[in-house]
Amino acid sequence: MSKSLILALSLLTTTLSVSSALASSGSHWGYEGKMGPANWAQLTPENGACAGKNQSPINLTGFIESDLKAIDFSYRAGGNEILNNGHTVQVNYAKGSSMKIDNIQFNLLQFHFHAPSENHIMGKSYPLEAHFVHADKEGNLAVVALMFEEGKENSALAGAWSQMPAHAGDKSVMKTTADANKILPASKDYYRFNGSLTTPPCSEGVRWFVMKEAVSASKEQIHAFEKVMHHGNNRPIQATNARPLLK
């Protein structure tokens, strides 16, 4: 088997793994009761990492001053499918959008939402948080997190919100292609830490980039997402342990 084919299969496997963790309605886990976050690590051997020492989300505080390099975002309109998997509402992204950091290109796979926010910034919780999930050619993962504050309506979300699937398992082709670049804030300054996926299998080794600047979403937009989810879909804050948090 050629090296290029091995890499392609590796990326496909990782993409499917991320999709399974963040988009599969068949995953037997949830946010409440016996299937809730406190028991994720015990639900199946594949979820063992949920009991790890470098888990997400966290409360971002106690920062170390660092010369963080700018993220080179190369996003274009590409959100072509929206789905409700019972755990979140997710917009799947076509190939062609990426970000570059550490001299590595990470391709945008999808973005999805949590309410209330999973990460906190200096103890503050936000009513809504978006995660933009990326993978490089070797399958390494990077997540850009964006906080929303209640305020004016967010026009960049309008297309996705107008097609938000009401029931778990529903999905549809986007009528208007979503543009992740328009969702991001004007300032691209960020906090950085190493963590994990915030849903089973809670895989570690994920690069996290949390935007410092929040954007707005209206009360109606936030409520519409909460109504579709029927419950909070945020994993509780995890211990930071010895991880450095950079700003």
Side-chain angles (χ1 to χ4, degrees), residues 9-245:
L9 289 174
S10 175
L11 180 56
L12 175 60
T13 300
T14 300
T15 303
L16 291 174
S17 176
V18 174
S19 298
S20 176
L22 299 173
S24 173
S25 60
S27 299
H28 297 293
W29 57 272
Y31 289 98
E32 300 174 314
K34 294 181 179 179
M35 296 295 179
N39 298 315
W40 283 352
Q42 289 76 46
L43 293 178
T44 174
E46 290 74 21
N47 292 355
C50 296
K53 299 296 185 182
N54 294 294
Q55 291 289 291
S56 300
I58 62 171
N59 176 34
L60 285 86
T61 188
F63 299 102
I64 297 173
E65 292 283 350
S66 182
D67 182 22
L68 294 176
K69 304 302 181 184
I71 299 173
D72 181 9
F73 287 101
S74 183
Y75 287 174
R76 60 189 185 189
N80 54 13
E81 182 182 64
I82 188 168
L83 61 92
N84 176 343
N85 56 43
H87 304 313
T88 189
V89 170
Q90 175 174 308
V91 175
N92 290 331
Y93 228 77
K95 294 180 180 180
S97 292
S98 64
M99 69 176 219
K100 190 174 183 180
I101 190 74
D102 302 334
N103 291 318
I104 302 170
Q105 179 174 304
F106 291 89
N107 298 308
L108 178 60
L109 304 178
Q110 48 101 333
F111 61 87
H112 63 271
F113 300 87
H114 297 271
S117 70
E118 296 202 297
N119 293 291
H120 293 182
I121 299 178
M122 290 178 281
K124 180 178 179 178
S125 172
Y126 292 77
L128 186 69
E129 178 176 354
H131 291 165
F132 300 82
V133 182
H134 308 72
D136 70 9
K137 65 181 181 180
E138 295 180 350
N140 299 304
L141 303 178
V143 177
V144 172
L146 174 63
M147 304 299 175
F148 292 79
E149 294 184 303
E150 184 179 315
K152 64 179 182 180
E153 183 179 67
N154 190 308
S155 59
L157 295 181
W161 254 236
S162 69
Q163 286 187 249
M164 190 183 299
H167 304 101
D170 288 352
K171 66 179 179 180
S172 61
V173 175
M174 296 284 289
K175 295 177 182 177
T176 302
T177 306
D179 189 343
N181 193 55
K182 293 182 179 180
I183 302 175
L184 293 177
S187 170
K188 304 302 190 295
D189 290 345
Y190 62 90
Y191 306 109
R192 179 172 182 169
F193 69 96
N194 288 328
S196 72
L197 296 177
T198 65
T199 57
C202 309
S203 307
E204 294 187 342
V206 179
R207 291 172 169 89
W208 277 85
F209 306 91
V210 180
M211 295 286 100
K212 290 183 179 181
E213 181 181 339
V215 298
S216 72
S218 68
K219 181 178 181 180
E220 291 75 18
Q221 286 177 313
I222 295 168
H223 178 67
F225 179 81
E226 293 171 335
K227 183 177 180 181
V228 165
M229 286 292 97
H230 304 295
H231 54 70
N233 68 332
N234 61 312
R235 186 187 191 189
I237 293 295
Q238 303 296 298
T240 303
N241 295 318
R243 283 176 284 176
L245 309 182

